[in-house]
């Protein structure tokens, strides 16, 4: 009789635990998507602007599609990687400050990030001014290098929007106020296509029209976000411009550099694929095909980068508030969410991967090459759905330096050498390069999973508290 009672109680306890776990997963998922959904919409729409412009350029000129692909994949990604990495320091600080209730410090962190990012980008602008010479130095065909150099100049007004858009997104995201970003980005993407049609075909401006449309629509997002912040919708975190933004810049730069290296090593990795493709036979076709595949891969990756931001915010918020257990649980939920998204798009790409090239080009050679690479594209999408989220966990915990080392080893000491070996010393050719790089991504994902599993979250709570106290005290600002 006693055994029966014990069994009944045990079963009832297990049912309650299961119900409690289901409820906890649901509540955590709502918190994650409250941050992630607007970020996903904004990033998908933002990168969608680049994809749409690439499509218009491809239908105008094949050689300009190759030039655009080089600039967008190499130069823009190089700069974007640095600025995104620098901005992730703002993500760490704002997320932990919000969790700790130091709301007034968030506006100061935002202004510091503007200063750091603007100076950094201005130093990097010669990359676009000297585009032709740089691509010729890398050994690209003269016609492709000339086209890339011409298009590089048109990208300059576009890349300056990163200084404000990337930092303001992290600032608003940390406060769960990023729904405004989603609405602005969706509006921008909606008008980008008709604006491009107007400038390219109605006004017959061709390539310049496509580039002007891209710059104009991207700056609409920046203007909208500035109006929202300055207009009084962030009263607790935005106290106006202050000289405190000029203090402690060196400390912010140090954290930004480690963040920048971590993100850059990850974003630049695929760029080497396009660079190596330029040395293959029929470089124009190879570059166009690879850039189309990579653009689609990155477009899907924008969803996971949105989850990266959510992972960073949730982990940073919980660490800032001293809740190690909640931070650990959030990591588990967001990782499984990312895996399910990756599997969905893996299947979708297998079904439609052979038909997407027609959106970018009328060249049958490029379309056939894209079709031939569709399986590798599907695998890349699957593996790239996990790594960014784990990187977001690291950013939220302030472990950027460790992840930078992992990315360096996995991508540049394993992936690229393996890709070169398979691509140039076997009959696989360009497929071999991509297989090697997928291998690097797989090793990186496993390493980050192991690192996340071994993380002592109680220690991370202590480190977050020390970091916030250090930055708070050094600013000498006590407005509240």
């Amino acid at each position: 009789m006693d055994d029966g009672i014990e069994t009944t109680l045990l079963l009832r306890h297990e049912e309650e635990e299961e119900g409690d776990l289901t409820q906890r997963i649901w509540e955590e998922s709502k918190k994650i998507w409250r941050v992630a959904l607007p970020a996903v919409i904004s990033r998908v729409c933002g990168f969608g602007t680049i994809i749409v412009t690439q499509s218009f350029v491809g239908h105008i000129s094949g050689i300009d599609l190759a030039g655009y692909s080089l600039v967008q994949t190499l130069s823009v990604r190089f700069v974007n990687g640095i600025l995104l990495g620098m901005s992730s320091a703002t993500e760490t600080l704002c997320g932990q400050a919000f969790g700790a209730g130091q709301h007034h410090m968030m506006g100061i962190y935002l202004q510091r990030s503007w200063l750091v990012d603007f100076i950094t980008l201005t130093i990097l602008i010669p990359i676009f001014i000297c585009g032709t010479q740089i691509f010729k130095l890398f050994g690209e065909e003269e016609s492709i290098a000339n086209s890339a150099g011409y298009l590089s100049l048109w990208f300059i007004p576009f890349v300056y929007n990163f200084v404000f858009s990337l930092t303001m997104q992290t600032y608003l995201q940390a406060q769960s106020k990023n729904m405004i970003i989603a609405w602005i980005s969706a509006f921008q993407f909606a008008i980008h296509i008709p604006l491009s049609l107007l400038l390219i075909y109605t006004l017959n401006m061709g390539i310049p029209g496509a580039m002007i449309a891209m710059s104009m629509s991207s700056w609409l997002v920046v203007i909208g976000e500035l109006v929202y912040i300055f207009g009084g919708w962030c009263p607790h975190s935005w106290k106006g411009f202050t000289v405190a933004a000029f203090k402690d810049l060196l400390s912010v730069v140090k954290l930004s550099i480690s963040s920048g290296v971590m993100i850059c090593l990850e974003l630049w990795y695929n760029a080497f694929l396009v660079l190596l493709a330029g040395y293959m036979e029929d470089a124009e076709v190879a570059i166009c095909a690879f850039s189309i595949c990579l653009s689609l891969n990155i477009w899907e990756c924008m969803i996971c980068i949105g989850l990266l931001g959510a992972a960073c915010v949730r982990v940073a918020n919980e660490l800032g508030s001293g809740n190690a257990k909640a931070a650990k649980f959030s990591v588990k939920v967001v990782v499984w969410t990312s895996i399910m998204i990756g599997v969905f798009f893996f299947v979708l790409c297998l079904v439609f991967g052979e038909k997407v090239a027609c959106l970018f080009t009328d060249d049958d050679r490029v379309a056939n090459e894209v079709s031939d690479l569709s399986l590798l594209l599907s695998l890349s999408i699957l593996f790239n759905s996990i790594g960014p989220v784990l990187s977001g966990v690291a950013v939220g915990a302030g472990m950027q330096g460790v992840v930078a080392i992992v990315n360096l080893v996995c991508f540049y000491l394993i992936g690229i050498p393996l890709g070169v070996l398979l691509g140039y010393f076997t009959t696989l050719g360009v497929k071999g390069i991509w297989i090697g790089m997928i291998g690097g991504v797989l090793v990186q994902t496993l390493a980050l999973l192991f690192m996340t599993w071994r993380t002592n979250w109680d220690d991370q709570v202590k480190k977050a508290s020390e970091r916030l106290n250090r930055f708070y005290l050094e600013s000498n600002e006590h407005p509240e």
Side-chain angles (χ1 to χ4, degrees):
M1 184 69 176
D2 291 339
D3 291 340
I5 294 174
E6 289 179 3
T7 303
T8 302
L9 292 174
L10 181 61
L11 290 173
R12 186 175 298 170
H13 178 66
E14 289 177 352
E15 288 176 359
E16 289 176 355
E17 279 193 342
E18 183 179 351
D20 182 57
L21 178 61
T22 303
Q23 184 64 26
R24 287 174 61 204
I25 293 174
W26 173 248
E27 292 298 326
E28 181 61 34
S29 296
K30 287 195 295 184
K31 292 178 182 179
I32 289 171
W33 281 108
R34 191 177 297 124
V35 176
L37 184 59
V40 168
I41 294 173
S42 64
R43 293 187 184 279
V44 168
C45 291
F47 194 76
T49 300
I50 298 176
I51 295 289
V52 169
T53 304
Q54 182 179 10
S55 177
F56 279 115
V57 170
H59 286 289
I60 294 172
S61 166
I63 196 71
D64 285 327
L65 174 60
Y68 179 96
S69 301
L70 276 180
V71 179
Q72 186 266 318
T73 308
L74 297 176
S75 304
V76 176
R77 187 173 299 177
F78 178 81
V79 170
N80 180 259
I82 293 176
L83 295 180
L84 183 60
M86 303 289 266
S87 300
S88 70
T90 309
E91 200 163 25
T92 299
L93 293 170
C94 284
Q96 294 182 357
F98 185 79
Q102 298 178 4
H103 297 170
H104 65 283
M105 290 299 298
M106 299 175 70
I108 297 175
Y109 295 145
L110 177 63
Q111 293 171 58
R112 288 174 183 169
S113 68
W114 285 345
L115 290 170
V116 172
D117 284 12
F118 183 83
I119 294 171
T120 302
L121 178 57
T122 302
I123 293 172
L124 296 172
I125 281 300
I127 292 173
F128 296 91
I129 297 175
C130 306
T132 299
Q133 293 80 0
I134 291 174
F135 288 119
K136 285 183 178 178
L137 184 64
F138 277 118
E140 299 295 339
E141 289 185 4
E142 184 173 357
S143 58
I144 298 176
N146 289 334
S147 173
Y150 170 71
L151 289 166
S152 292
L153 299 175
W154 285 105
F155 268 102
I156 292 176
F158 170 76
V159 295
Y160 265 101
N161 91 85
F162 293 150
V163 172
F164 302 97
S165 61
L166 294 176
T167 51
M168 285 190 290
Q169 284 179 16
T170 59
Y171 164 80
L172 293 170
Q173 193 170 265
Q175 309 169 70
S176 297
K177 290 180 177 289
N178 54 347
M179 198 62 213
I180 183 64
I181 305 173
W183 285 110
I184 296 173
S185 299
F187 173 75
Q188 169 253 337
F189 185 67
I191 69 170
H192 177 63
I193 296 177
L195 180 61
S196 298
L197 291 170
L198 172 66
L199 295 177
I200 295 171
Y201 297 112
T202 305
L203 300 181
N204 200 28
M205 295 179 66
I207 296 295
M211 302 305 295
I212 291 172
M214 183 173 67
S215 294
M216 288 177 63
S217 58
S218 66
W219 274 95
L220 282 176
V221 176
V222 175
I223 294 171
E225 291 170 352
L226 287 172
V227 169
Y228 182 81
I229 293 172
F230 295 165
W233 284 277
C234 300
H236 300 295
S237 57
W238 179 260
K239 302 293 183 179
F241 291 99
T242 172
V243 294
F246 293 90
K247 299 179 182 179
D248 305 328
L249 283 177
L250 183 59
S251 298
V252 176
V253 169
K254 288 180 179 179
L255 184 60
S256 296
I257 288 174
S258 61
S259 301
V261 172
M262 181 198 79
I263 300 293
C264 289
L265 291 175
E266 194 161 348
L267 286 180
W268 296 344
Y269 183 52
N270 287 334
F272 279 93
L273 194 64
V274 175
L275 183 63
L276 292 173
Y279 304 124
M280 296 285 177
E281 294 183 10
D282 204 350
E284 180 183 336
V285 173
I287 291 173
C288 292
F290 272 118
S291 67
I292 290 171
C293 290
L294 288 178
S295 293
L296 293 171
N297 184 21
I298 296 169
W299 204 7
E300 184 276 337
C301 196
M302 290 298 107
I303 298 175
C304 297
I305 291 179
L307 283 171
L308 178 155
C312 176
V313 169
R314 289 293 303 129
V315 171
N317 285 171
E318 297 299 347
L319 292 180
S321 61
N323 197 336
K325 187 176 181 181
K328 185 176 181 179
F329 183 74
S330 180
V331 170
K332 293 178 181 179
V333 175
V334 74
V335 168
W336 277 109
T337 301
S338 181
I339 291 173
M340 289 187 289
I341 291 173
V343 171
F344 172 77
F345 281 101
F346 169 77
V347 175
L348 198 65
C349 189
L350 283 179
V351 176
F352 298 103
E354 298 181 358
K355 303 174 183 179
V356 295
C358 62
L359 298 175
F360 296 88
T361 181
D362 299 321
D363 192 326
D364 291 336
R365 297 173 302 163
V366 175
N368 291 334
E369 187 71 24
V370 171
S371 176
D372 199 34
L373 294 170
S374 60
L375 176 59
L376 294 178
L377 172 61
S378 302
L379 291 172
S380 294
I381 286 175
L382 178 61
F383 293 137
N384 282 329
S385 297
I386 306 170
V389 173
L390 296 173
S391 297
V393 172
V395 171
M399 298 187 293
Q400 294 94 326
V402 178
V403 180
I405 296 173
V406 171
N407 288 350
L408 176 64
V409 173
C410 296
F411 293 160
Y412 297 90
L413 300 183
I414 297 176
I416 291 178
L418 180 60
V420 171
L421 179 65
L422 294 175
Y424 289 95
F425 297 96
T426 70
T427 58
L428 291 172
V430 291
K431 287 184 178 179
I433 298 174
W434 203 333
I435 291 172
M437 291 194 165
I438 289 176
V441 172
L442 179 60
V443 175
Q444 180 238 19
T445 301
L446 294 175
L448 291 179
L449 281 171
F450 179 76
M451 188 183 79
T452 304
W453 176 60
R454 291 294 302 272
T455 297
N456 187 322
W457 293 103
D458 291 317
D459 286 346
Q460 293 303 321
V461 167
K462 296 177 183 177
K463 291 178 181 178
S465 177
E466 292 170 359
R467 185 182 300 113
L468 287 171
N469 289 333
R470 182 173 70 252
F471 279 101
Y472 184 86
L473 293 173
E474 286 181 358
S475 71
N476 294 319
E477 291 287 321
H478 302 278
E480 291 184 355

